[in-house]
Amino acid sequence: MSSYSLKNQSKTQLNTIKEHYQAFLQPKVPAHALFVAKAPGVTVTAYHSGTVLFQGNNAETEGNRWDNSSTSSSTPSNSTAKKTSSNLPTGFSQWNVVGSDEVGNGSYLGPVVVCASYVTKEQMPLLKELGVKDSKMLKDSEIIKIAADLKHVIQYQELVVTPQKYNEIQPNYNVNRMKVALHNQAIYLLLKKIAPEQPQGILIDQFTPEGNYRKYLSMEKNQVKDDLYFTTKGEQYHLAVAAASIICRASFLNELKKASQELGFNVPSGAGKPSDLAAAKILKRGGIELLSKYAKLHFANTDKAKKLLK
């Protein structure tokens, strides 16, 4: 599906566009949007900020109808791009990119969630309108809401490793090898989803040196090796990583909420004292077998929880 966006449209122009698509206006309007119209071959979403997004087979035709700007920007090719201090090519933030991130690896309770998302240059205005940014700057309630919207807008692949599954594979996988396997698999499956379209780059929120990543990658069956980029705080360099992080975090929070409902008390994130206390309650109720369904047993919290019961 192609897309086209206009920026800095005046209120008068927005009203003119709205009037043109009057017969196709939809009753449900996303947050921050002024109106949504679904006409043959195109969906038009206008925002209070002055951005108008056209999506569908006729997106470019309809967008050009209203585009009076004299300037346009193009995405730099991989071959001519220059490296920046972040080791990413100049203009990378405007590329069509697959980004991946994970949540839950450092939390004793709850799953590990990995997500890869594909964000094109044309989708960026919409993602910004939805509030996509570094998930650390968002409240949990905002993350859950934005993630729900994102899943209707972008292509993504999410993998959720439950504590029970984690405990099964952990003896044979150290933390980094497990994360490499999950990131690679999420990216591989997403690339299959978006084929024949191909991203200009794949950005992984870096958790281990590139050489180490590629060492563990060589052990995987479906290896994605080309056009890989690595940087810490990847969500600051491309919206694809920010979007992946938000989707991950929302799923992680939902899993904790589900666990809390099942157990009848709050299941916290992290690996501090509250996690020890929650684990002790679980142990008292159903022993290590029940705890294995909610916790990553190799964490030191397991022994701490056992001591609390003595």
Side-chain angles (χ1 to χ4, degrees):
M1 179 176 67
S2 61
S3 60
Y4 191 97
S5 63
L6 304 176
K7 295 182 179 180
N8 302 319
Q9 300 297 293
S10 67
K11 288 185 178 180
T12 300
Q13 182 71 344
L14 289 174
N15 287 330
T16 301
I17 296 173
K18 181 179 181 180
E19 185 175 342
H20 178 81
Y21 295 104
Q22 187 71 38
F24 305 102
L25 293 177
Q26 301 297 300
K28 291 186 177 181
V29 179
H32 310 296
L34 179 64
F35 69 84
V36 176
K38 291 189 176 181
V42 66
T43 297
V44 183
T45 307
Y47 294 89
H48 292 284
S49 65
T51 296
V52 184
L53 183 70
F54 300 82
Q55 294 176 295
N57 294 333
N58 297 335
E60 188 169 356
T61 300
E62 292 296 312
N64 279 321
R65 179 199 298 271
W66 307 100
D67 194 352
N68 297 318
S69 64
S70 58
T71 60
S72 61
S73 59
S74 58
T75 305
S77 65
N78 295 24
S79 59
T80 60
K82 297 179 180 179
K83 295 289 182 178
T84 67
S85 59
S86 64
N87 293 321
L88 295 176
T90 302
F92 186 88
S93 64
Q94 297 300 305
W95 284 15
N96 301 334
V97 165
V98 165
S100 67
D101 199 2
E102 88 284 332
V103 173
N105 188 69
S107 180
Y108 175 56
L109 298 163
V112 172
V113 186
V114 173
C115 180
S117 73
Y118 180 49
V119 174
T120 66
K121 180 180 179 180
E122 291 76 17
Q123 291 172 320
M124 292 178 187
L126 175 57
L127 266 61
K128 290 177 181 177
E129 290 288 344
L130 293 176
V132 175
K133 57 184 176 181
D134 186 347
S135 63
K136 298 179 186 66
M137 300 171 63
L138 297 168
K139 298 177 182 177
D140 288 350
S141 58
E142 292 175 318
I143 287 172
I144 291 171
K145 184 180 184 304
I146 294 171
D149 291 336
L150 271 177
K151 290 181 178 182
H152 294 291
V153 174
I154 63 172
Q155 293 271 27
Y156 70 96
Q157 178 65 53
E158 187 178 29
L159 300 176
V160 179
V161 182
T162 65
Q164 195 164 18
K165 182 64 176 178
Y166 180 98
N167 292 325
E168 289 176 13
I169 63 178
Q170 184 273 326
N172 299 316
Y173 282 73
N174 65 37
V175 171
N176 282 331
R177 185 184 174 189
M178 186 184 299
K179 289 166 74 172
V180 169
L182 292 170
H183 276 260
N184 177 71
Q185 183 67 359
I187 293 167
Y188 171 77
L189 293 174
L190 179 57
L191 291 177
K192 289 182 67 175
K193 277 186 181 180
I194 66 175
E197 188 170 355
Q198 293 185 333
Q200 292 170 282
I202 299 169
L203 180 60
I204 297 170
D205 195 46
Q206 190 167 15
F207 52 86
T208 190
E210 180 177 350
N212 209 35
Y213 182 96
R214 292 189 180 276
K215 178 185 75 174
Y216 290 127
L217 181 62
S218 67
M219 303 176 187
E220 296 304 307
K221 180 180 178 181
N222 302 310
Q223 300 172 22
V224 179
K225 299 184 289 186
D226 298 330
D227 300 319
L228 295 181
Y229 295 89
F230 303 84
T231 188
T232 56
K233 300 180 180 179
E235 63 276 6
Q236 297 180 11
Y237 294 97
H238 203 283
L239 285 174
V241 177
S245 178
I246 287 171
I247 292 174
C248 279
R249 181 68 182 171
S251 292
F252 178 76
L253 291 171
N254 285 331
E255 288 296 317
L256 287 184
K257 181 179 179 181
K258 179 182 175 183
S260 298
Q261 291 171 341
E262 291 172 352
L263 292 167
F265 57 83
N266 181 57
V267 175
S269 63
K273 186 67 173 180
S275 296
D276 299 341
L277 295 171
K281 289 182 181 180
I282 299 171
L283 278 172
K284 186 175 182 179
R285 182 180 300 180
I288 199 71
E289 183 177 353
L290 183 61
L291 183 61
S292 69
K293 295 180 180 179
Y294 296 98
K296 303 174 184 74
L297 296 181
H298 72 103
F299 276 44
N301 301 77
T302 301
D303 288 334
K304 293 178 182 178
K306 289 178 179 178
K307 290 178 181 178
L308 289 174
L309 294 179
K310 292 180 179 179

